[in-house]
Amino acid sequence: MWKVRDDEPAYAFLKESTAPEVNYYEAPIDLIARTGGALPVDREMFINEEPGVGANPNRNKQHAFHFTADNCIGCHACEAACSEKNDNPAHISFRSVGYVEGGTYPDFKRMNISMACNHCDDPVCLKGCPTAAYTKHAEYGAVLQDPDTCFGCGYCTWVCPYNAPQLDPIKGQVSKCNMCVDRLEVNLKPACVSACLGNALDFGVVDDLPDNREQGKTSIPGFPDPEITQPNIRFQQIKNMPDEVTRTDGMSVKYHKGDDGQYRPVVDQKKGVEKKWSLAKLSSRENPLVIFTLVSQISLGAFFIAFLGVQFGIQSFLVLRDSVMYIPLMAITVGLAGLGMLVSATHLGKPWRFYRGFNNLRHSPVCREGLGMLLYMVFAGLHLLLMLPANDIFIRLLGDWGRFDAFASVSGYLALIAGSVGLYYMYRCYRIRARPFWNHWQTATSFLGTTITLGSILLGLVGIPILMVLGGDINQLFIIVLGGIVIGSVMEGLGLWRHAIAMDTANNEGSVSHYIQCTVFGKSYVLRNCLIAANAAAALLLLLLAPSAISLGLALVVCLSVLLTALISRTLFYVLVIPTTMPGAFFWKNKDFEEHARDIGLANMPQVGVVAHSH
C-alpha cells in the first residue's frame, strides 16, 4: 500500500462521492452492478504484488479525471509528478501537456490540454491487444496493463485515440497510466492531480463534479470523438476559443467549430502544396508489416488459384498438378507464408514471446489473423505432404486405398478456409476508428486485389515455364494470369478512387493523410496510380494476343511493374496514416521535432526525450 505522509495536504485526498447512479453513457457507475454481481466486493488487487484491501469506500465505482482547461497554465508539473512516481525514462510519459491556439493579435488565445489514459468504458486497447495484457478492473474502473505480458507489437498504440499506451523502443514493451491505484486505495488522488499548481486537474468518481466546477463536458477542442471509447474524463471550458484553432506540433490538423459548437479536425496545410517524391520517407518502422502483408497475400493468392483451378478441372492446372513442379509450387506458397510470419515476429519488441499472440482470440483481430495464417500454413503444408510422389508406395501396397487424393483435397479446402479467415482479419486489423485513413473498405479491395494480382504472377512465373518444358498448352494459364492482373488492378484502382473521394471530403485525420499523400508524397502517389492503370490496360491488351516470345516478354515486364506498384502502394499505406491523437507541444510529443532530432543527432542525448527507431 502507498504510505500516507503525516503532513499530507487536504487537497491530496479524494472527496466524498455524491455521484449519480449512472454515468453520461447511461452505464452504472457501480462496477459490481455492471457485472451483475459476478465479481466480489473487497477483492484484493495485489498492488506491487502485495495482498490487501484499502479503506476507500468508493473502490468499486468508476473513477475519472476532470480537467478544467481554463485553469491549466502549461507548467507540466503533472507530467513531472507522473514520471517521477512511475520512474519513467525521458522518452516515455504517461501524461503529457499539449496545446491549441488561435485568433489574432490582440485577441489571441491558447488552451493547454493535459491528457493521460482515460480508463474508458469501452477500452479499445483491451480488445485489440493480442496478448491480453490489459484488464478493466471493477476496482475504480482502472484499465491496467501488464508490461511483462506485453510482447511489444504496439497494436494498442494504433487503436487508442489518445496516445495513452506508450511503446518503449528500448525495452520493447508498452506501458501506460495505472490511475495510481496504490494511492486510491488509501484515499489519495493520483500523483499528477496532487501536483497540479493551477487546480486544473482533479479526480474522483465519474460525473461527480469537483468543488467549484459547473461543467462535466465529454469533449473540448482537440479531443477525439468520445464515442470511439467512451472515455472517463470530463472537461470544463468556459472561456470562449476562436472558431478555428491550430496545433503547434507538426501534424497538419486544425480544429474548426461547427454550428453545433463542437470542434472537428480539418486540414491545415503546414506542408505546403508542392508535390514531392519523398522516396526516402517511404521506409518506416512498419517495413516488416509491409513484407508480411505482401508475401502472405502472394502465398494465399497462388495457393487459392492453383488449388481451386484443380478442383474445377481446369486443364492447365491439372497438368501442373501432375507435373514434378507442383510440389515445389506448393512448397513456395507455404514457405512464403512462413517467411511472412517470421518477418511479422521481427516487428515485435520481444520477438521471442511471439507465442503470446493467441491469448486474446475473443476480441483481438491480431490474434485471429495470426491463427488463421498459422492454420493456413499447417493445412497447406499437410496438402503438400499428401501430394508427395512418395504416395506411390502406398498405392502399390494398398491399391486405390493407398491414394491420399481425398485427404489432400480436404486439407486443401481447410487451408482455403483458414487462409480466408487470416486474410479477412488481416483486413479487420486496420479498420480502426482512431486511424480514419485506414478505416475504409478500400483496405479490403487493396488486400484482396494484391492477393489476386501477386498470386497470379507467382503462378505464371512457375507454371508457364513448366508447361512450355512439358510441351503443354500455355494459352489457358496465360489468360488466367493476365486476367488475374486485370481483375486485381481494377479492384484496387476502384477502391483507391473511392477512398480518395471519401478522404477528400471527410474532414478528419483521414483528410489530412490524403493531403500529405497529394503533396509530400504527391509524385509517388501519381506514379502508383498511373502504374495501376497502366498494368490493367497492358494486361488487357496482352489478353488479345496469342502467347509468343514477344507477348511473354511483355507480360514479364507487366509482372515486374505490378510488383513495383504493390511495393509503393503498401509502403504508402503505412507511412501516410495519421491517427486521432491529442495535440502536442512545439518540442514535446511533436513528430516533426522527433524526426529533426534524429536527423541532427539530438536523439543521442537521452534528456531530449527522443530515441532512434531501432529493433
Side-chain angles (χ1 to χ4, degrees), residues 406-476:
F407 296 104
S409 295
V410 169
S411 62
Y413 279 114
L414 290 174
L416 191 70
I417 294 170
S420 299
V421 170
L423 184 61
Y424 172 73
Y425 281 107
M426 192 181 296
Y427 152 69
R428 290 303 307 175
C429 284
Y430 297 93
R431 289 305 299 264
I432 301 171
R433 293 182 68 185
R435 299 197 171 209
F437 187 73
W438 287 346
N439 192 29
H440 189 273
W441 56 263
Q442 177 270 332
T443 302
T445 61
S446 175
F447 283 10
L448 186 56
T450 303
T451 300
I452 295 171
T453 53
L454 298 187
S456 299
I457 287 174
L458 178 59
L459 280 179
L461 293 176
V462 175
I464 290 177
I466 293 171
L467 292 178
M468 292 175 68
V469 170
L470 296 176
D473 182 13
I474 66 172
N475 186 59
Q476 194 177 50

Side-chain angles (χ1 to χ4, degrees), residues 484-499:
I485 292 174
V486 172
I487 293 171
S489 298
V490 169
M491 182 182 296
E492 183 164 9
L494 178 63
L496 289 169
W497 172 53
R498 299 305 304 172
H499 180 254

Side-chain angles (χ1 to χ4, degrees), residues 215-243:
Q215 289 181 341
K217 301 194 296 184
T218 58
S219 185
I220 55 172
F223 191 74
D225 183 1
E227 292 302 319
I228 298 177
T229 64
Q230 298 184 357
N232 286 299
I233 185 170
R234 300 294 182 264
F235 299 101
Q236 175 164 309
Q237 180 213 349
I238 296 176
K239 295 178 182 177
N240 288 327
M241 292 293 290
D243 289 345

Side-chain angles (χ1 to χ4, degrees), residues 317-512:
F317 287 107
L318 292 175
V319 173
L320 185 61
R321 181 199 63 182
D322 295 333
S323 74
V324 72
M325 288 302 294
Y326 184 74
I327 299 302
L329 174 62
M330 291 294 101
I332 290 172
T333 61
V334 175
L336 285 173
L339 174 64
M341 296 289 280
L342 177 63
V343 172
S344 170
T346 67
H347 182 259
L348 303 176
K350 298 178 179 177
W352 59 91
R353 292 184 176 176
F354 68 91
Y355 58 89
R356 294 183 178 176
F358 306 106
N359 288 358
N360 194 14
L361 282 170
R362 180 180 178 186
H363 295 295
S364 176
V366 180
C367 285
R368 296 172 184 177
E369 171 201 36
L371 182 61
M373 291 304 299
L374 179 62
L375 291 177
Y376 160 72
M377 285 177 55
V378 170
F379 290 126
L382 182 60
H383 174 75
L384 166 65
L385 292 174
L386 293 173
M387 293 296 291
L388 283 172
N391 292 344
D392 290 343
I393 298 173
F394 294 95
I395 294 171
R396 295 193 197 100
L397 293 174
L398 304 174
D400 288 341
W401 291 97
R403 296 189 66 86
F404 289 159
D405 291 359
F407 296 104
S409 295
V410 169
S411 62
Y413 279 114
L414 290 174
L416 191 70
I417 294 170
S420 299
V421 170
L423 184 61
Y424 172 73
Y425 281 107
M426 192 181 296
Y427 152 69
R428 290 303 307 175
C429 284
Y430 297 93
R431 289 305 299 264
I432 301 171
R433 293 182 68 185
R435 299 197 171 209
F437 187 73
W438 287 346
N439 192 29
H440 189 273
W441 56 263
Q442 177 270 332
T443 302
T445 61
S446 175
F447 283 10
L448 186 56
T450 303
T451 300
I452 295 171
T453 53
L454 298 187
S456 299
I457 287 174
L458 178 59
L459 280 179
L461 293 176
V462 175
I464 290 177
I466 293 171
L467 292 178
M468 292 175 68
V469 170
L470 296 176
D473 182 13
I474 66 172
N475 186 59
Q476 194 177 50
L477 185 56
F478 186 68
I479 292 173
I480 290 172
V481 171
L482 291 175
I485 292 174
V486 172
I487 293 171
S489 298
V490 169
M491 182 182 296
E492 183 164 9
L494 178 63
L496 289 169
W497 172 53
R498 299 305 304 172
H499 180 254
I501 293 174
M503 294 299 103
D504 199 35
T505 58
N507 286 335
N508 58 24
E509 286 79 4
S511 302
V512 180

